[in-house]
Amino acid sequence: MQSVMDAVIQLIVFAIIPFVYWLMKFRKEQRFTHWIGLRKIHFQNKTRALIYAVLCFSVLLISGIILLSFIEDKTLVANAHFSALSLQVVFSILIYSIVQTGLAEELFFRGFLLKTFSGWWGFGAGNIIQSLLFGLLHAVILLTFLNPFLIILIFIFSASAGWLMGYLNESLGNGSILPSWLIHSLMNISSSLMLLFNIL
């Protein structure tokens, strides 16, 4: 139950600013869910999008595993509380991965920030800026716990993931955040299960 509460609270926190911004600027033009990217995917080229999504997930998963192998104290990782617990936590892992981090972060970064920045400066600049902010968020969380080399690696990995997912959504998924939400959720589910079964 606590995992559900944590997920709902984080989702609300990450959605407040986008919702207020939408109310002020776009509520007369389109529904919030459509504006933020919670809409059906319309791939212009399904084969290309699928290949890109699979490659994106594979590269991010392998990079993430390599990155986590450098971190000796796994308790510092956000989903470390799933480490070495019983199978009963699988539900908590799904809530954490799909709602608390996957949906909340995709709403804010690939939904709100990418669409806002792209409207101001174009997609290229918008995608770079949102991805740098995404990387910064993940690096700052661990700033006082890890050495500078690992912080830089985390920043590069997270920013690259943010850029790849932003590209997938906007260039191949017609602005829907569903592709990046799926990849983000699968990434977190995979790393959490690896921690659960002491694979990492």
Side-chain angles (χ1 to χ4, degrees):
M1 191 61 185
Q2 185 60 47
S3 61
V4 174
M5 289 300 298
D6 291 343
V8 169
I9 290 169
Q10 183 157 320
L11 183 58
I12 290 170
V13 167
F14 274 69
I16 285 175
I17 294 174
F19 186 74
V20 170
Y21 185 78
W22 168 81
L23 274 177
M24 294 187 309
K25 302 275 287 181
F26 299 104
R27 68 184 172 88
K28 293 180 180 178
E29 297 175 23
Q30 53 188 322
R31 295 186 323 271
F32 176 70
T33 51
H34 191 269
W35 173 76
I36 202 76
L38 280 172
R39 58 180 183 251
K40 186 176 178 182
I41 307 166
H42 293 289
F43 290 119
Q44 294 173 355
N45 185 327
K46 290 182 182 179
T47 304
R48 182 177 171 215
L50 179 61
I51 291 169
Y52 182 87
V54 170
L55 285 174
C56 181
F57 174 75
S58 302
V59 167
L60 292 176
L61 182 63
I62 292 166
S63 303
I65 290 169
I66 293 169
L67 178 60
L68 284 172
S69 70
F70 283 111
I71 301 174
E72 291 180 25
D73 185 2
K74 299 292 191 282
T75 61
L76 298 174
V77 181
N79 50 358
H81 55 284
F82 300 126
S83 179
L85 296 176
S86 70
L87 284 173
Q88 297 171 348
V89 301
V90 172
F91 176 73
S92 296
I93 287 173
L94 293 175
I95 293 297
Y96 166 81
S97 301
I98 297 170
V99 179
Q100 185 172 346
T101 55
L103 179 57
E105 292 179 8
E106 291 311 311
L107 277 176
F108 191 77
F109 287 94
R110 260 64 66 192
F112 171 59
L113 291 184
L114 177 54
K115 292 180 189 320
T116 302
F117 294 154
S118 294
W120 294 348
W121 303 303
F123 171 70
N127 199 30
I128 290 171
I129 295 168
Q130 70 81 18
S131 66
L132 292 175
L133 291 172
F134 187 65
L136 193 61
L137 169 73
H138 288 80
V140 166
I141 291 170
L142 297 169
L143 195 59
T144 58
F145 302 106
L146 298 175
N147 67 58
F149 173 72
L150 286 176
I151 295 296
I152 291 169
L153 284 182
I154 289 167
F155 172 77
I156 292 170
F157 170 76
S158 301
S160 299
W163 189 92
L164 289 169
M165 292 188 292
Y167 178 83
L168 175 63
N169 289 352
E170 298 298 323
S171 296
L172 303 175
N174 201 35
S176 172
I177 64 167
L178 298 183
S180 62
W181 182 16
L182 177 63
I183 290 174
H184 198 153
S185 299
L186 288 174
M187 287 289 301
N188 288 341
I189 289 169
S190 301
S191 61
S192 296
L193 288 175
M194 287 179 192
L195 288 167
L196 173 66
F197 292 109
N198 287 314
I199 296 172
L200 292 176

